[in-house]
Amino acid sequence: MSTSSALERAITKVLSQKESELVSTIDSAYRDSISNLEASRGKLESERARIIEASKKQAENLKRQIVGSSRLATRNKELLVIENGVNEAFEKARSQLAGSNKSDGYRALVSKGIEDSAAAVGYNEIIVECNKNDSDLIKKIVADLQKKNPKLKARVSDQYIDVLGGTRTKSADGSMSFDNTLDSRIELLKPLIRKNIAQMLRGE
């Protein structure tokens, strides 16, 4: 065997070993890369699912906000319509009542009102307040009531009150009073008017 042949075999053997080592290294690097890629894919899937879930929650919250705002706006509009309706009905009632103070019905209403007020105040000596236009009528009514009930001592105040009609009755010492004016009666009707209008709007 020549020296050159031995050298060639040695070189070939070394090259073969290095090739095997290189292939092994490449295979190892490839497997590591595949493993890392699989791990990254899992993380990416998890992150993707988290982002989708967060987006759904955000969309749901936004939807609730929009629906809530819409309901609130609708509710406010409804309340505005109701209040306008109540005020309109109130003004119509005031207008109609303003022209009724000369009727027999009005006299009977006020007379009954003063009797009820005297009973509510609980005193035999009372002061009746009214507006200027009703002054003469109230004086006649009070005089008639005293004839019917001699125990009742009543006088009409010369201090007029700014009301649509009716009376406000006070005990002589001012410790008790009862508001039986048309204005207060109309105010008492407001909740009922408001309820009726709300039921009409809602189709109840």
Side-chain angles (χ1 to χ4, degrees), residues 93-180:
R94 284 180 62 89
S95 177
Q96 290 177 358
L97 290 171
S100 66
N101 60 350
K102 301 298 182 186
S103 68
D104 292 338
Y106 180 71
R107 177 188 171 87
L109 176 70
V110 174
S111 178
K112 181 69 166 55
I114 295 174
E115 285 186 86
D116 292 343
S117 298
V121 169
Y123 285 74
N124 286 328
E125 191 171 350
I126 60 173
I127 300 171
V128 180
E129 298 175 318
C130 63
N131 66 30
K132 187 176 181 179
N133 290 337
D134 288 351
S135 178
D136 291 341
L137 174 64
I138 300 300
K139 286 176 181 176
K140 291 177 183 176
I141 292 173
V142 167
D144 290 343
L145 289 176
Q146 289 186 108
K147 289 178 183 175
K148 287 170 52 180
N149 182 8
K151 292 183 179 179
L152 179 65
K153 295 181 180 178
R155 69 177 178 85
V156 179
S157 173
D158 54 3
Q159 300 296 315
Y160 302 119
I161 55 177
D162 183 18
V163 294
L164 188 62
T167 58
R168 191 165 58 203
T169 302
K170 299 190 299 186
S171 59
D173 61 7
S175 61
M176 295 288 291
S177 68
F178 190 86
D179 191 340
N180 213 346

